[in-house]
């Protein structure tokens, strides 16, 4: 679950960086968020599938790691 937390922190930092650069350039926060939303609204189905797959990979690997049998550390 740590890897999912790391990915969430990185996603929030990226969003914050995008918004802060837009605000430094003089764009309002609502306009900056609207431009991010419009990028996702204009994607094709194939692009959306690729984004979903790459966004879901950390969750898939974390879930697979939870169900993997572990060896006992006792000898």
């Amino acid at each position: 679950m740590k890897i999912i937390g790391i990915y969430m922190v990185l996603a929030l930092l990226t969003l914050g960086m995008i918004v802060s650069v837009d605000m430094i350039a003089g764009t309002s926060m609502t306009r900056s968020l609207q431009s991010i939303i419009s990028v996702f609204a204009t994607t094709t189905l194939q692009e959306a599938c690729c984004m979903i797959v790459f966004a879901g990979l950390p969750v898939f690997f974390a879930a697979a790691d939870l169900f993997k049998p572990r060896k006992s550390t006792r000898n």
Side-chain angles (χ1 to χ4, degrees):
M1 296 307 279
K2 290 180 186 178
I3 193 166
I4 295 173
I6 291 170
Y7 275 93
M8 293 300 291
V9 168
L10 289 174
L12 290 174
L13 287 173
T14 303
L15 180 65
M17 190 170 54
I18 291 170
V19 171
S20 63
V21 167
D22 282 344
M23 291 184 72
I24 289 172
T27 308
S28 67
M29 182 186 293
T30 56
R31 181 71 182 143
S32 176
L33 293 175
Q34 182 65 32
S35 66
I36 293 171
I37 291 170
S38 67
V39 167
F40 288 110
T42 58
T43 59
T44 63
L45 180 62
Q46 291 86 4
E47 292 169 337
C49 288
C50 287
M51 287 190 287
I52 290 170
V53 166
F54 281 110
L57 281 176
V59 176
F60 174 74
F61 285 125
D65 191 42
L66 283 175
F67 295 114
K68 188 185 335 179
R70 301 195 187 272
K71 293 183 179 179
S72 177
T73 57
R74 291 184 178 181
N75 290 331

